[in-house]
Amino acid sequence: MRYRPSPQLRKTALGATALVALAGLNAPAAVGFAERQYHQYKINQPRYKALYGHWDLVDVPQEFRINAIHAALLHTGKVLLIAGSGNDQRNFDAGRFQSVLWDPSDNSFKEVDTPKDMFCSGHAQLPDGRLLVAGGTARYEKLGGDVTRAGGAMLIKNEDPDKPRLLRKGTVFVGASGRAYRSLFDVLVPRATKKVYAPKAKRKAAVKVTASQARVYVEATVHGEKGISNTADQYAIAGLKGKDADNVYGLAAKLGLDKKDFQGLREAYEFDPVAERYITVDSMAEARWYPTLVTLKDGRVLAVSGLDDMGEIIPGRNEIFDPKTRKWSKGPDRYFPTYPALFLTQGGDLFYSGSNAGYGPADQGRVPGIWNLEKNTFAPVPGLSQAGRTETSASVLLPPAQRQRVMLLGGGGVGESHASTARTAVVDLKAKKPVYMDGPELPEGTRYLNAVLTPDDTVFTSGGSHDYRGKRASDILKAQFYDPATNAFSEAAAPTVGRDYHSEALLLPDGRIAVFGSNPLFADKDDTQPGVFEQRIEVYTPPYLFGDQSARPRLARHALTVGRGGTAVLDAADASAVAKARLMRPSAVTHATDVEQRSIELTVTRKGDALSVRIPDDPTLVPSGWYMLFVTNAKGVPSQAQWVHVS
């Protein structure tokens, strides 16, 4: 039946048209108003929604509006939004750190006690459904003109083989020049190592002691240039005497008033979705700010890159978290820029797409490739056009995961570059010699693009900006779907809220997509007014939810548990209407980086009214954990998700 607007809507449309004609004879402002009225009329028509989808703003009570830096979907169906200090030093200085749980099913909110500043941490889904959160912020950056006390890294030596030395925050170090510096953190210096060599002819046994060492950040006890030290010096520790003073001391080169970068945290936590609280686990060996956490084939999690406790990029020291022991161990060394996009591939290798965010030199760690962790070898993948514009790009493992194709979308130049690109590229990791091939271009050059896998095997992309952090009013109010089957984009309804740096998007269990955050530098085209962090939440309803909903497949709402390689029997309302089934891993996303999401094709079997699906038995394809199970009909309309725990 052909759609006919109601009398009231016809009046609205006719009124808007008349006003446009009248305004054309009068004021441009009136024309703009009329155009906006007509646009609102158009985008709310059923036919338009069925073609392009629809955006809605979420009503968020004032007390729960936070600067969402991280977003993760939990197996309870709730979304954990983590701000930490939210890129606001006033919050950091006050020790005010925030996390909020949002339940999209009833639009309820709850604030969660947040023990540390998890701003710019890393996260990954664990096999039992908890969320691992590691790293964060120990100190905010200070530009050269804002640094009032000279400071830098102090290397602490301990030559005592009998005992370690714990130096508390505030320990004072005094150099030969008389300049004094105070530590900003606790530091534990291990005991020195001692080796006894067997005696040789007419010689006594020899003993060799090798001093241990640890680093700590220090600042001058006085303000200004009087605290600067431009030469290497040895520093005595105030309060130590005798042998203790001889054994334990500090060494430092330049301690100046130059720019100080963010410093990372060592602390790590698990978020329990059932108890709805953070649980402390073993700390990392390295402090990390802007790290990537990626799940491995055995359920362990690899932490890669980040800025350390001195504000310096970590030179390739990676480590692995074991959820069984809740402890970290050394991982294979390899250097990457911060927030590298690393995907677990079939077979267990990691693929580095080239996407990254924020920190690292332009000529190191930027080449895409396949990383074999066991041998610690790296095979570059060539073919990426505009390879110098991968920072702040998006990457996804295209659906279904069995095809092992990764797509990179947009991106920009290193650092505060104005450059951006509309380039997309796709690589087939099953090829004998994987090579990136150019895909269809985005509507315009885009940094900070959000890309979300959907149950109908498409990729929804939205937002971003074509300049660094939305400079020059460059937020992009566009959205589109990428279809891997046709290798083409199609238009989607435009969002109403601009999203750039520090924005996130993820798939909800009901098939909608939620978008959070945005942290523009400026609020005007001339870059003269400071930007305001975007605290509104916008939800996109795709076209597949505006068709005939009576034909929408329906699954039972209770959770299932199934072993890898096993079969799950589904309670479906109409098994004969089900065409496909997908197992979709929930997102944990920040800084345009989401290496968690993947969509796995399931084999569907029908026997009368009974419907069953088989879970692949490959842990590199289906890592243990919680998944959303969607079934779709022949038109691609998905069910609401049923949660499945794969073990």
Side-chain angles (χ1 to χ4, degrees), residues 294-302 320 344 348 350 373 619-620 623-624:
V294 57
T295 301
L296 304 178
K297 63 182 180 181
D298 56 5
R300 296 183 301 161
V301 175
L302 177 68
I320 296 174
L344 178 65
L350 296 181
L373 298 179
T620 65
S624 298

Side-chain angles (χ1 to χ4, degrees), residues 455 509-510 544-545 548-557 570-581 606 611 629-642:
D510 60 9
Y544 54 57
L545 294 180
D548 181 5
Q549 293 303 290
S550 65
R552 185 180 187 185
R554 286 172 173 77
L555 294 176
R557 302 305 299 273
L570 306 181
D571 184 1
D574 183 4
S576 62
V578 172
K580 296 179 180 179
R606 299 174 192 79
L611 182 73
L629 173 61
F630 289 94
V631 295
T632 58
N633 64 16
K635 294 183 179 180
V637 178
S639 65
Q640 291 207 31
Q642 182 172 14

Side-chain angles (χ1 to χ4, degrees), residues 23-355:
L25 300 173
N26 293 281
V31 174
F33 173 77
E35 288 174 345
R36 289 192 296 272
Q37 289 290 99
Y38 179 72
H39 177 71
Q40 286 301 313
Y41 161 77
K42 181 179 73 172
I43 66 175
N44 282 287
Q45 300 311 298
R47 174 181 284 179
Y48 184 92
K49 293 179 181 179
L51 287 173
Y52 304 109
H54 188 73
W55 292 88
D56 294 286
L57 285 170
V58 174
D59 181 17
V60 183
Q62 182 65 44
E63 64 269 28
F64 298 115
R65 297 176 188 175
I66 65 170
N67 296 355
I69 308 293
H70 311 266
L73 178 63
L74 309 173
H75 71 84
T76 57
K78 297 181 180 181
V79 178
L80 177 66
L81 300 174
I82 304 174
S85 58
N87 202 16
D88 187 333
Q89 188 159 1
R90 294 168 298 181
N91 290 335
F92 180 81
D93 293 341
R96 185 167 55 245
F97 311 134
Q98 292 181 290
S99 302
V100 164
L101 277 171
W102 170 49
D103 189 342
S105 67
D106 61 8
N107 201 41
S108 60
F109 294 85
K110 174 185 176 181
E111 185 161 359
V112 178
D113 288 338
T114 307
K116 280 284 185 178
D117 191 4
M118 297 172 180
F119 167 56
C120 294
S121 60
H123 27 57
Q125 304 280 1
L126 295 175
D128 65 357
R130 298 188 187 196
L131 181 76
L132 177 65
V133 184
T137 304
R139 183 197 67 187
Y140 266 64
E141 71 175 351
K142 289 185 179 181
L143 302 179
D146 298 328
V147 178
T148 60
R149 294 177 187 264
M154 179 80 72
L155 187 67
I156 315 301
K157 292 279 191 175
N158 182 10
E159 296 182 2
D160 188 346
D162 297 322
K163 60 182 179 183
R165 180 71 61 168
L166 176 63
L167 301 179
R168 293 292 186 185
K169 173 182 176 181
T171 297
V172 174
F173 301 84
V174 182
S177 66
R179 294 184 181 89
Y181 300 85
R182 183 177 289 111
S183 63
L184 298 192
F185 309 100
D186 294 346
V187 59
L188 177 63
V189 193
R191 61 171 58 90
T193 58
K194 182 170 67 173
K195 189 170 183 179
V196 179
Y197 294 91
K200 294 184 179 180
K202 298 182 180 181
R203 292 185 183 180
K204 295 181 179 179
V207 177
K208 182 180 179 181
V209 175
T210 303
S212 65
Q213 61 186 40
R215 293 191 311 172
V216 68
Y217 190 85
V218 298
E219 281 187 346
T221 57
V222 296
H223 286 85
E225 295 182 359
K226 291 183 179 180
I228 294 175
S229 174
N230 287 314
T231 59
D233 201 353
Q234 181 167 321
Y235 292 83
I237 297 173
L240 293 188
K241 298 179 180 179
K243 288 186 176 181
D244 285 343
D246 293 336
N247 285 333
V248 187
Y249 53 89
L251 297 173
K254 179 181 177 181
L255 298 170
L257 291 168
D258 50 327
K259 177 182 180 291
K260 312 298 181 186
D261 270 321
F262 284 93
Q263 290 177 344
L265 288 175
R266 288 185 172 84
E267 284 86 347
Y269 300 87
E270 290 179 353
F271 185 81
D272 186 332
V274 178
E276 297 184 342
R277 66 187 182 95
Y278 289 102
I279 299 168
T280 304
V281 297
D282 194 36
S283 292
M284 297 180 288
E286 296 286 339
R288 297 183 189 271
W289 187 84
Y290 265 51
T292 291
L293 271 59
V294 57
T295 301
L296 304 178
K297 63 182 180 181
D298 56 5
R300 296 183 301 161
V301 175
L302 177 68
V304 175
S305 192
L307 299 189
D308 64 14
D309 53 345
M310 299 297 126
E312 299 171 356
I313 191 164
I314 297 169
R317 294 190 293 269
N318 308 310
E319 48 197 308
I320 296 174
F321 179 78
D322 188 338
K324 295 178 181 177
T325 63
R326 293 183 174 173
K327 293 185 179 297
W328 297 86
S329 60
K330 188 179 183 307
D333 289 350
R334 188 157 297 277
Y335 172 87
F336 294 96
T338 56
Y339 280 134
L342 296 165
F343 296 90
L344 178 65
T345 69
Q346 205 160 6
D349 292 342
L350 296 181
F351 174 63
Y352 170 47
S353 71
S355 294

Side-chain angles (χ1 to χ4, degrees), residues 49 140 250 298 388 422 450 498 504 525 528 616 644:
K49 293 179 181 179
Y140 266 64
D298 56 5
N450 282 301
E504 310 84 41
K525 191 172 184 178
T528 60
V644 177

Side-chain angles (χ1 to χ4, degrees), residues 511-530:
R512 298 179 299 160
I513 294 160
V515 187
F516 318 90
S518 187
N519 196 179
L521 271 179
F522 300 103
D524 65 323
K525 191 172 184 178
D526 295 326
D527 293 347
T528 60
Q529 302 296 321

